[in-house]
Amino acid sequence: MPDFCAAYGCSNQRTETSKDNAVTFHRFPKEGARRQAWVQALKREGFVPKPRTLICSCHFVPDDFDRTGQTVRLREGAIPSIFNFPKHLSKRSRSRSSRTSKSAGEPYPTQQAPAREPGVSVTAVLQDHQYCLDPVTTKKKLKEYQDQIEKLRRELRNAKDRERRQRKTVRCLLQELKEKNMLTEELQQKLDFYSGRWLQTVDASPGLNICLLDMLQKRKLEDPDRFGQVCMMVDGMSIKRQMQYEAHTRTMRGLVDLGMGLDETAVAKEALVFMVVGLKGHWKLPIAFYFVSTVSPDPQKILLLNALEALHDRGIKVVCVTMDGHISNIAMCNMLGCQLKLDGHPLKTSFTHPSSGEDVHLIMDPCHMLKLARNMLKNYGSIISPSGTVKWQHIVDLNDVQEREGLHAANKITRRHVDFEGQKMKVSVAAQTLSRSVALALTALKDAGYQQFTASSATVEFIQVIDRLFDLMNSRNPRAGGFKSPLGSRNWEEMLGFMAEARSYLASLKMIDGTPLHRSRRYLSVMGFIINISSFTTMIPALLETQQYVCTYRFSQDHLELFFNSVRASGGWNNNPSVVGFTNYFRHVMVRCGINPGETGNVQAQDGTACLSAIAISSAVPADDDDDDDENDNFILPSPYDPTAGLVLDHTYLPNRFGALTENAIVYIAGFVVKCVQKKQKCEVCCSSLVSSALPSTLGDNYHLLALRNNGGLLIPSAGTVKVVQCAEQCIRRVCNVSSAACQCSEALLQRVVKAEIGSEDIFNLGNHIEETQDGIDNHHYNLISHILAAFYKLRQHHIAKLHTIQLQSKSLRRKLCKVVLFQGY
């Protein structure tokens, strides 16, 4: 269906066959002021434009069109002005007949026309006077003023929008709540910390966080008894192997980072976290994290000693260090001077503090030791104790009898406790398996005459010893009784005697072949409890000198596991965060914003221990800060590692030509780069130099892909633009050949190499325009190169990160099984 021009007397129409003609058609603008101006220009009474209403290009002056790009467009603010109206619509001027009006039209009597020399025209004489008006110049100035007015209107509208958004900030929200009397004094004091600050200002980079350490030091000065002594915990969390490019920091994220942003090439697989937990009060604080590929004992030792020194410098004493039974942790403890095996040498479960010289005791996490004991019993099937044979089959028989009878003998043993491979990480499953209720159930069935439980006394003894040791090392309620009571002066002698008996019992356990269990491959299943008994024997009496009792749950690694639980829960369906995701979650923890522990994880919270917030120290900047003091500008302590040298580039690796596919892809990408640069470039001469006016089919084989993809809306890059992008691609590929993981070419390096290669060659054909702009490297020639490289670098880094991530996750078993579990039954 053809569309006709809406102007009076115009017969131009747009059809499918008229698209290639010189006449173009334009729809009415959507905004109110400009749309109304178009309607008034048509002078049609009662005319209301519809969505398909058009005006052809014959009714616009040539200056209304922008021809700098490949596509001719109307300029902003253009109004149709060329019409062939009839007489009744033409503007008529009435003649003035009064004496006053006639005298007003006469020239001013004091102004006398200048005498005209012979041979000089009247027009030449009139052009010498300032009051002579040139219609073309006047219309051009009027157009410029209208554009300025339209620009000011947009800026005013944007300013009003910013003001409207600003009114919705935390400060204005607090003021509104105060006026409505909806804030208590305590809540108002807490919310005031958030006023006037942004979450992005909190530095959460890998390394020791000086912001959190200074906040802890401040609290220690206010309350030394509560914040003076801590337990440090070290553990790693698996993260997604993913490369990501952060545009705001201009860095590639996903590689190993030990606190200094080293030029590592290995991809990070784990986040190594250091956390301190107060021995008094219910508080904890993660003070550092590092992204590592594998947890090695040597660097982990250096990081641990560095954290101990940082806490000692702030007057905080680390009493003990808690960790699990990972082989790297055991090797690190041996490097620190510990002796953790009963092989003829005396057991040593502490090491010397690097600053104070005091002993720092070692605690093996009781929850991990409980799971190791359960796993060991099922794997070996049977072990020998002084009272007989301890068998896993007794627990299996207990479950079979209860399933057959349809009732439970006051215990929680089910099929999932026997076949626990799918839930072997859950502490509750292990605790319910080796519990007092199971021991009592086995005894009851033995006394009831069940034949399969006749020789279950040794199994009952083993379960009771492990259960009591776990309760003793996991006490958290000051009013609890028995082995769940805290260690104090009233029960210390009794508990000390039990721990000595338990140590002798665990050391006497043997395998079926007679090998001591503490020398077997699963030696930590008993040595973990023996190590804790040795540490408690030395550490607890010293702590009881300054406090009434000690809740051993303070030494449990549950506090750090709950932090990991919070990080995983913050990702929603994605419970395996990347490097960027983990960093963001750590920042949220620092300000206690949106991070809460889940209720269905492997570890559940047993008390009200909560993370401290860094708000009080980072929400405001002291007024007497010195701008020259660099130490106050960095919230991350220096890494104990020296920064390694950067990549050395060799220009001999620079390829002269790419393949046909690469050449065509570079030209196609250059068109998109031009589109990004023109949004930021204000100089019309520079904008026009980025594009070519010729058709893609006439520019060579490299433009073939662009010609096939072009339906009229793509920009055709100029030869100079393509050359800059080609040089940038050469530089990036050269560095990628050196790196084994991902591109390590920084934007500054890319700018330096490409500008050095192009030099002052006028690749954009700017001519005198370069001389008219600033001299030196700040002229428009170098500015164009800088903008092109910045846009291309951002685009290319995102693509490199995506390709490398696909390669890393191509054989991810965790990703496959995780999705099967999450979407099972849907």
Side-chain angles (χ1 to χ4, degrees), residues 646-653 731 734-735 738 745 749 752-753:
L647 295 173
V648 180
L649 299 179
D650 189 352
H651 286 273
T652 59
Y653 294 125
C731 179
R734 181 175 61 229
V735 178
V738 177
C745 178
L749 177 62
R752 185 171 68 252
V753 173

Side-chain angles (χ1 to χ4, degrees), residues 5-181:
C5 178
Y8 179 85
C10 184
S11 60
N12 292 332
Q13 60 177 342
R14 187 181 70 168
T15 61
E16 294 296 331
T17 59
S18 63
K19 292 184 178 180
D20 298 332
N21 296 336
V23 179
T24 58
F25 292 83
H26 309 277
R27 297 188 184 276
F28 273 70
K30 296 181 179 180
E31 57 268 19
R34 191 181 174 197
R35 183 185 182 89
Q36 186 65 24
W38 282 36
V39 173
Q40 292 178 359
L42 292 181
K43 296 184 179 181
R44 295 178 58 179
E45 184 177 358
F47 172 71
V48 177
K50 298 180 180 180
R52 294 179 61 91
T53 304
L54 303 174
I55 296 180
C56 66
S57 58
C58 298
H59 307 286
F60 294 89
V61 296
D63 292 339
D64 291 338
F65 296 95
D66 183 7
R67 293 183 172 83
T68 57
Q70 184 68 21
T71 303
V72 179
R73 296 181 176 87
L74 276 177
R75 294 186 183 273
E76 187 175 359
I79 300 175
S81 57
I82 302 176
F83 299 100
N84 188 17
F85 290 126
K87 294 182 180 181
H88 68 279
L89 294 178
S90 301
K91 186 176 180 181
R92 295 176 297 178
S93 58
R94 297 181 180 179
S95 59
R96 298 183 179 182
S97 58
S98 62
R99 183 180 302 176
T100 306
S101 60
K102 291 182 179 180
S103 60
E106 296 178 355
Y108 197 72
T110 58
Q111 294 288 345
Q112 184 177 1
R116 179 166 57 93
E117 297 181 0
V120 180
S121 63
V122 179
T123 305
V125 175
L126 294 178
Q127 288 179 350
D128 293 338
H129 295 270
Q130 299 295 328
Y131 54 80
C132 294
L133 297 179
D134 184 5
V136 179
T137 305
T138 304
K139 185 175 181 179
K140 184 177 180 180
K141 291 184 178 180
L142 177 62
K143 181 67 171 55
E144 294 177 355
Y145 294 151
Q146 290 176 347
D147 293 342
Q148 293 180 5
I149 293 174
E150 185 66 23
K151 181 179 179 181
L152 292 175
R153 287 177 180 175
R154 290 197 304 269
E155 293 179 355
L156 179 61
R157 183 170 60 254
N158 295 336
K160 290 182 179 180
D161 293 340
R162 289 193 297 269
E163 182 180 1
R164 191 181 303 109
R165 291 192 297 266
Q166 185 68 19
R167 291 175 181 175
K168 296 181 181 180
T169 57
V170 177
R171 185 184 298 275
C172 298
L173 178 61
L174 292 177
Q175 184 63 28
E176 183 179 353
L177 293 176
K178 292 177 183 179
E179 295 176 355
K180 295 181 180 180
N181 296 325

Side-chain angles (χ1 to χ4, degrees), residues 292 517 816:
V292 297
L517 193 58
K816 178 180 178 181

Side-chain angles (χ1 to χ4, degrees), residues 231-235 320-324 361-366 554-557 560:
C231 170
M232 179 181 291
M233 300 173 184
V234 185
D235 197 9
C320 60
V321 177
T322 301
M323 59 189 68
D324 57 20
H361 300 277
L362 175 64
I363 300 294
M364 307 301 293
D365 179 44
R554 299 287 90 197
F555 313 128
S556 174
Q557 202 170 331
L560 186 52

